[in-house]
Amino acid sequence: LHDTADLGGPREADPVVTGAVDRLAGLVNGLLAPAGVMVARAAPSQAESWRAEIGGRYRSDREVIALARRTGLSVSDYLERQWGNPGRRAGILARMQSAGALGPHMRTVCEIGPGSGGYIQDITRAFTPEWYEIYEIEAQRARWLGQEYPVTVRETEGEALSGTDDAAINLVHAHGVFASLKVISCFTYFDEISRVTAPGGHVCFDIIDDDCLSDDAITRYLAGPLRYLQFMSRQLVEAFFKARGFALVESFRTPLLVSGESTYLIFRKRDG
Ligand SMILES: C[S@@+](CC[C@H](N)C(=O)[O-])C[C@H]1O[C@@H](n2cnc3c(N)ncnc32)[C@H](O)[C@@H]1O
């Protein structure tokens, strides 16, 4: 299966690999796909391009969950292994912790687009926050997460944090979400994030900025089928949060789970 994590492009069908690759289709088309591309607003040509790359038919979240169960792993750990990237999430969480964004002080957490729930899994295990709420656009996925983990599922239409009070949250975070959302949706969320973050609280998310898009990287994107990419100006994001009382405390670049790279930004909101 490790071979199937190599996204070098469409390949000849090998019967053994095809079965494995086919199973991987669901990982991208389901739990990992940016909803705005694959599920909610996908142009057929884009959806087909994902399938060509992954090599299989669409599989629902339900099927992916069943596949993970058979391995005895959580869905998120299963996905990291399938893509040849075990430990990626742990590395990101370690950076969040050393930046002060994670710790026993963190009583309330809000996550946007939790997907297969890997960050929920690790954070609730390690820190048992009193409150962990999620805004996940895929309603069935959100329901499943609510059954699987100790989280409160908030209703969402994909841009606002309407269920959350002002200054209520110690950590607001999102992973692999703003890499695919339209700029206006990102800034609508950023405005909301700024509203709900408590004084002294942290915000952590990743974007695809200049640092992630060298000429080589663009050439690779052009040669491949992935079409979710959304560019975001780091300078603009930093200025936006600074103007709302946040300071940047950490930033780092890291590979995305499937392909490409993103830049993580961690902000702290000034004390009361
Ligand atoms: C690429 S996946 C990343 C999943 C997870 N955060 C991770 O890093 O493994 C993006 C997730 O965000 C969700 N999503 C996409 N657009 C969203 C939006 N506008 N609001 C909330 N969730 C969204 C998708 O349904 C999907 O579960």
Side-chain angles (χ1 to χ4, degrees), residues 32-33 35 112-115 119 135-138 141 158 175-177 181 189:
L32 280 178
I112 302 165
Y119 294 89
Y135 286 85
E136 166 56 61
I137 193 100
E138 285 300 311
R141 188 170 305 167
H175 307 265
V177 177
L181 283 192
Y189 263 137

Side-chain angles (χ1 to χ4, degrees), residues 1-8 11 21 23-29 31-33 50 53-55 75-86 88 226 256-259:
L1 285 183
H2 187 75
D3 283 350
T4 62
D6 166 19
L7 292 177
R11 66 204 74 216
V21 173
R23 287 194 290 282
L24 275 172
L27 313 184
V28 169
N29 294 347
L31 284 156
L32 280 178
W50 276 87
E53 175 73 359
I54 302 305
V75 176
S76 46
D77 291 342
Y78 172 76
L79 294 173
E80 276 198 344
R81 294 222 188 164
Q82 293 288 316
W83 290 111
N85 234 332
R88 174 182 173 273
L226 302 182
L256 286 158
L257 189 58
V258 177
S259 181

Side-chain angles (χ1 to χ4, degrees), residues 190-213:
F190 295 160
D191 202 32
E192 281 286 86
I193 288 171
S194 145
R195 177 182 68 77
V196 305
T197 306
H202 287 82
V203 170
C204 172
F205 58 81
D206 59 328
I207 56 172
I208 295 179
D209 65 353
D210 276 305
D211 289 343
C212 308
L213 291 176

